[in-house]
Amino acid sequence: EKKVLPVFPWFAIDIGGTLVKLVYFEPLDLTPDEIRTEGEILMNIRHYLVSNRAYGEDGFRDDALELKNIRFGGRQGNLHFIRFPTSKMSNFIDLCIMKHLHTLTFQVFATGGGAYKFEYDAVEKLKLSWHKCDELDTLIKGLSYLSKLNPNECFYYEEPQNEANPNKHPFKFDIRNPFLLVNIGSGISILHVESETSYRRISGTSIGGGTFLGLCCLLTGCSSYDEAIQLATAGDSTKVDKLVKDIYGGDYERFGLPGHIVASSFGHMNLSEKRDQATIADLARSTLVTVLNNIGSISMMCAQTENVNRILFSGSFLRINDLSMRILAFAMDYWSRGKIKAIFLEHEGYFSAVGSLREFIR
Ligand code: ADP
């Protein structure tokens, strides 16, 4: 028996604290009936969304992440990944009206806090049939789907400290064994996941990707995430942070703390001559390392109390951020003496949006 699926187009949207993530399933196997009823709007979407990579100044399609010719609920098609700042949500709504999207009524599955905040606009201005989904439920559903579909979705670094070649390998991930999921968005949620349908949010912290970006803008005068990451990559945090060896002259042997470990993040910045020596790149690097040290130690504590040996890291904070993934991977390995493995994900911040899209084929 064939299920009757909703009419196209199939969009799901995750409206987060910083970024809107939009996923679009482009069907490639339309029936003559569907071409008659939905063909025109799908052509319009193809013309605007799928043939461009940038939309205005702030919208981008991550074409490297596109999943081509996949099976989704028995249909064949391409999965597209699009993002823009949440601060531009009202421009996006105006654009949809300009493109006459509000003259058609179709279903959209929406998640993230903005699914609530923008519900009125979506229903009243865009005439959408708006279905809200919980962002953590959909996060796990999206992860479950993509990790099965894409053999390269999950990966790890064999030699995270080797900058030239950290040895990235695909990781064969099985969602049925318990793991920790650390989602680094504007803020951070830490989940203990036992299966696709059973999980608990065990912790969180407000010191997340938004903190990195906000502090970087304040300290360096940069104005975008991409710029902040570029600065951090070029900087040296030891010019800003006070290390164990700055205090001990070497290791703190009694408690096994090597000299190169940070004793005090930003601890050099009380001295004016140290401040004069630190460049904006150094400040950006130190901001990154400070946030990462905090994420690392909270994640490690959670993994130990929950007794799991795999930590998956998701969220857009890891976008174009190989540096942070290597730092996290090394820290997990070092502090757990090789017992806990850090695993990363190609589709970073898009899992909740993908999980919401799955509602179309339920
Ligand atoms: P949220 O759902 O809270 O918006 P995300 O998973 O989308 O969370 O991650 C947001 C974080 O990703 C930002 O705080 C920032 O650190 C990082 N980031 C990555 N790319 C961008 C970008 N283009 N603009 C702003 N922040 C970005």
Side-chain angles (χ1 to χ4, degrees):
E1 187 209 344
K2 237 183 142 156
K3 252 189 300 177
V4 185
L5 298 175
V7 296
F8 294 116
W10 290 356
F11 280 106
I13 190 166
D14 172 7
I15 310 173
T18 308
L19 290 177
V20 177
K21 282 77 62 180
L22 188 67
V23 299
Y24 172 58
F25 179 77
E26 177 195 17
L28 299 172
D29 59 354
L30 292 183
T31 63
D33 259 357
E34 286 171 334
I35 292 176
R36 221 170 306 122
T37 55
E38 295 137 71
E40 191 182 328
I41 173 163
L42 293 178
M43 286 286 281
N44 284 338
I45 292 170
R46 179 155 186 86
H47 183 75
Y48 182 67
L49 220 54
V50 178
S51 58
N52 290 314
R53 254 189 295 176
Y55 316 98
E57 279 182 17
D58 306 288
F60 295 94
R61 184 165 59 82
D62 284 313
D63 62 329
L65 296 184
E66 178 178 343
L67 292 169
K68 293 197 173 77
N69 222 346
I70 59 161
R71 288 202 68 77
F72 183 68
R75 301 300 304 249
Q76 200 78 26
N78 299 331
L79 199 51
H80 298 281
F81 299 87
I82 294 150
R83 63 182 152 85
F84 60 88
T86 305
S87 59
K88 295 288 154 64
M89 223 8 234
S90 54
N91 305 39
F92 174 71
I93 290 166
D94 292 343
L95 180 79
C96 291
I97 294 173
M98 219 167 71
K99 300 271 168 202
H100 302 293
L101 273 178
H102 65 303
T103 58
L104 309 146
T105 297
F106 55 86
Q107 288 189 58
V108 170
F109 290 93
T111 190
Y116 295 82
K117 190 172 167 187
F118 294 98
E119 180 173 24
Y120 179 85
D121 284 358
V123 173
E124 296 304 319
K125 293 190 185 158
L126 294 178
K127 310 291 175 208
L128 293 169
S129 166
W130 189 255
H131 304 280
K132 300 188 289 302
C133 314
D134 178 80
E135 61 178 301
L136 298 181
D137 288 351
T138 53
L139 173 64
I140 292 164
K141 283 184 185 150
L143 171 65
S144 168
Y145 175 72
L146 286 186
S147 63
K148 265 182 245 156
L149 177 77
N150 176 14
N152 297 319
E153 186 60 48
C154 308
F155 61 91
Y156 69 99
Y157 293 106
E158 197 184 316
E159 289 179 78
Q161 270 199 307
N162 182 349
E163 205 181 317
N165 181 17
N167 255 314
K168 176 175 165 178
H169 300 291
F171 181 83
K172 256 179 124 54
F173 175 67
D174 186 347
I175 196 159
R176 290 166 304 182
N177 298 326
F179 63 95
L180 211 66
L181 179 56
V182 178
N183 187 53
I184 317 177
S186 311
I188 299 183
S189 278
I190 301 183
L191 314 178
H192 179 220
V193 185
E194 287 183 321
S195 74
E196 196 186 315
T197 48
S198 149
Y199 73 91
R200 283 176 304 131
R201 184 183 187 278
I202 52 174
S203 190
T205 158
S206 64
I207 300 178
T211 314
F212 163 69
L213 184 52
L215 285 179
C216 252
C217 290
L218 281 174
L219 289 172
T220 73
C222 76
S223 53
S224 73
Y225 173 81
D226 294 42
E227 219 184 315
I229 289 296
Q230 218 171 31
L231 280 170
T233 306
D236 174 1
S237 54
T238 65
K239 306 237 300 278
V240 178
D241 296 338
K242 200 168 272 181
L243 308 183
V244 167
K245 70 172 173 224
D246 296 323
I247 304 171
Y248 274 79
D251 301 341
Y252 182 11
E253 270 168 23
R254 183 159 179 231
F255 290 106
L257 290 175
H260 62 81
I261 296 280
V262 181
S264 169
S265 296
F266 284 85
H268 278 324
M269 294 297 91
N270 60 320
L271 299 176
S272 71
E273 73 261 28
K274 292 280 189 191
R275 285 199 295 275
D276 292 342
Q277 286 160 14
T279 65
I280 57 168
D282 299 335
L283 291 168
R285 178 66 161 244
S286 184
T287 308
L288 188 80
V289 169
T290 300
V291 169
L292 285 171
N293 280 345
N294 191 57
I295 296 171
S297 67
I298 295 174
S299 304
M300 181 66 68
M301 276 193 296
C302 289
Q304 281 162 348
T305 40
E306 300 293 323
N307 202 19
V308 297
N309 58 11
R310 301 177 300 169
I311 306 180
L312 267 70
F313 291 94
S314 61
S316 307
F317 173 67
L318 297 176
R319 203 191 122 245
I320 55 164
N321 198 352
D322 186 64
L323 173 63
S324 287
M325 292 190 276
R326 289 192 296 101
I327 291 174
L328 280 173
F330 177 73
M332 294 306 101
D333 186 66
Y334 182 86
W335 293 109
S336 76
R337 299 198 167 79
K339 285 201 195 79
I340 294 173
K341 199 180 197 77
I343 297 154
F344 305 98
L345 301 158
E346 291 292 349
H347 287 83
E348 295 136 0
Y350 283 108
F351 294 98
S352 290
V354 171
S356 301
L357 195 75
R358 282 183 70 185
E359 294 295 308
F360 279 104
I361 59 172
R362 235 157 60 101

